[in-house]
Amino acid sequence: EPEVTQTPSHQVTQMGQEVILRCVPISNHLYFYWYRQILGQKVEFLVSFYNNEISEKSEIFDDQFSVERPDGSNFTLKIRSTKLEDSAMYFCASSLSRGPDTEAFFGQGTRLTVV
Amino acid sequence: DQQVKQNSPSLSVQEGRISILNCDYTNSMFDYFLWYKKYPAEGPTFLISISSIKDKNEDGRFTVFLNKSAKHLSLHIVPSQPGDSAVYFCAASARNYGQNFVFGPGTRLSVLP
């Protein structure tokens, strides 16, 4: 069964450093998302991406964050200068079509720990 | 701003009995609702969904009920099995809002053998 894969599973980084979280969405999907879940809190939407551009982003997704699809298969989330409060599980997701009447398939997540 | 609420952080049910997980929302623009199940160290897994044009959707042991006037939905699992023990997230979206899903805080279900 096709699945969304994320690497690494766990990333530890020093505050102020840049990190790149990687995702390989399901191959025929066209819409890509990043969500995060701070420990003990709810899953929060960060950004959606379609046709090589951001289609929607939340207030969390500030100038420190960026996304790109560099090679047609990977979908990356970059945090330029990490802060302690960026520590969270980051989930990548993809979906086949646009609109809310379609389910998104999630990866297993990358646990980011900023020290 | 809790647009999607799951007021029970945890629920314990005996194996074979019915599990009922509840979800309330405040935004009347939401028109599509999903339930995700999440095991530790894994991403959320889609379980079942319902569109606002329906009031019930069933898939095997899982049934979701939607009461639009009360802005309430519930997930019924019957019979409950130990493997159903997980955190269940209710999520909502609105056609006019694009593709992002608003998640509730989750309910941890424990099915006791």
Side-chain angles (χ1 to χ4, degrees):
Chain A
E1 185 176 321
E3 58 181 14
V4 176
T5 56
Q6 291 184 243
T7 55
S9 57
H10 190 190
Q11 173 90 43
V12 181
T13 188
Q14 284 202 321
M15 190 170 56
Q17 295 295 304
E18 175 184 284
V19 292
I20 297 176
L21 309 182
R22 303 180 192 280
C23 169
V24 179
I26 294 174
S27 61
N28 63 335
H29 284 187
L30 301 175
Y31 298 87
F32 314 109
Y33 316 85
W34 283 100
Y35 286 79
R36 79 171 185 191
Q37 184 181 26
I38 295 172
L39 185 64
Q41 299 185 24
K42 63 181 180 180
V43 177
E44 300 173 293
F45 169 76
L46 293 179
V47 65
S48 59
F49 190 85
Y50 169 71
N51 200 26
N52 280 321
E53 60 182 27
I54 292 172
S55 49
E56 194 170 0
K57 61 182 180 179
S58 71
E59 294 174 352
I60 303 168
F61 195 88
D62 61 22
D63 292 343
Q64 292 299 311
F65 292 88
S66 62
V67 289
E68 65 174 357
R69 196 146 189 258
D71 57 13
S73 61
N74 289 287
F75 177 51
T76 62
L77 173 69
K78 182 193 291 186
I79 309 175
R80 288 191 186 80
S81 177
T82 50
K83 303 186 286 284
L84 293 176
E85 53 265 37
D86 293 327
S87 296
M89 281 289 287
Y90 287 81
F91 295 105
C92 172
S94 67
S95 64
L96 183 59
S97 58
R98 181 183 178 87
D101 53 344
T102 180
E103 59 265 23
F105 293 82
F106 284 76
Q108 82 281 12
T110 293
R111 180 175 298 283
L112 175 65
T113 303
V114 181
V115 296
Chain B
D1 176 23
Q2 287 195 35
Q3 296 189 72
V4 178
K5 303 176 186 179
Q6 293 175 257
N7 291 323
S8 297
S10 63
L11 175 69
S12 292
V13 171
Q14 209 69 35
E15 181 179 4
R17 299 288 187 102
I18 184 170
S19 296
I20 301 177
L21 297 106
N22 293 304
C23 176
D24 297 285
Y25 61 96
T26 58
N27 191 335
S28 57
M29 297 297 292
F30 288 144
D31 54 11
Y32 192 69
F33 306 90
L34 309 92
W35 283 94
Y36 281 86
K37 180 169 73 172
K38 185 180 179 303
Y39 294 116
E42 294 185 14
T45 303
F46 171 75
L47 200 56
I48 193 169
S49 63
I50 189 166
S51 164
S52 60
I53 62 173
K54 293 185 171 182
D55 55 18
K56 177 182 175 182
N57 189 25
E58 195 171 353
D59 183 3
R61 297 186 297 114
F62 303 92
T63 303
V64 55
F65 295 91
L66 174 63
N67 182 333
K68 280 176 293 187
S69 60
K71 295 192 180 69
H72 176 83
L73 64 156
S74 60
L75 174 68
H76 292 210
I77 307 173
V78 55
S80 303
Q81 299 172 354
D84 296 329
S85 297
V87 178
Y88 289 78
F89 292 98
C90 172
S93 64
R95 188 170 300 277
N96 292 336
Y97 283 9
Q99 303 100 14
N100 67 312
F101 300 94
V102 180
F103 281 77
T107 296
R108 181 177 301 279
L109 173 66
S110 299
V111 180
L112 309 172

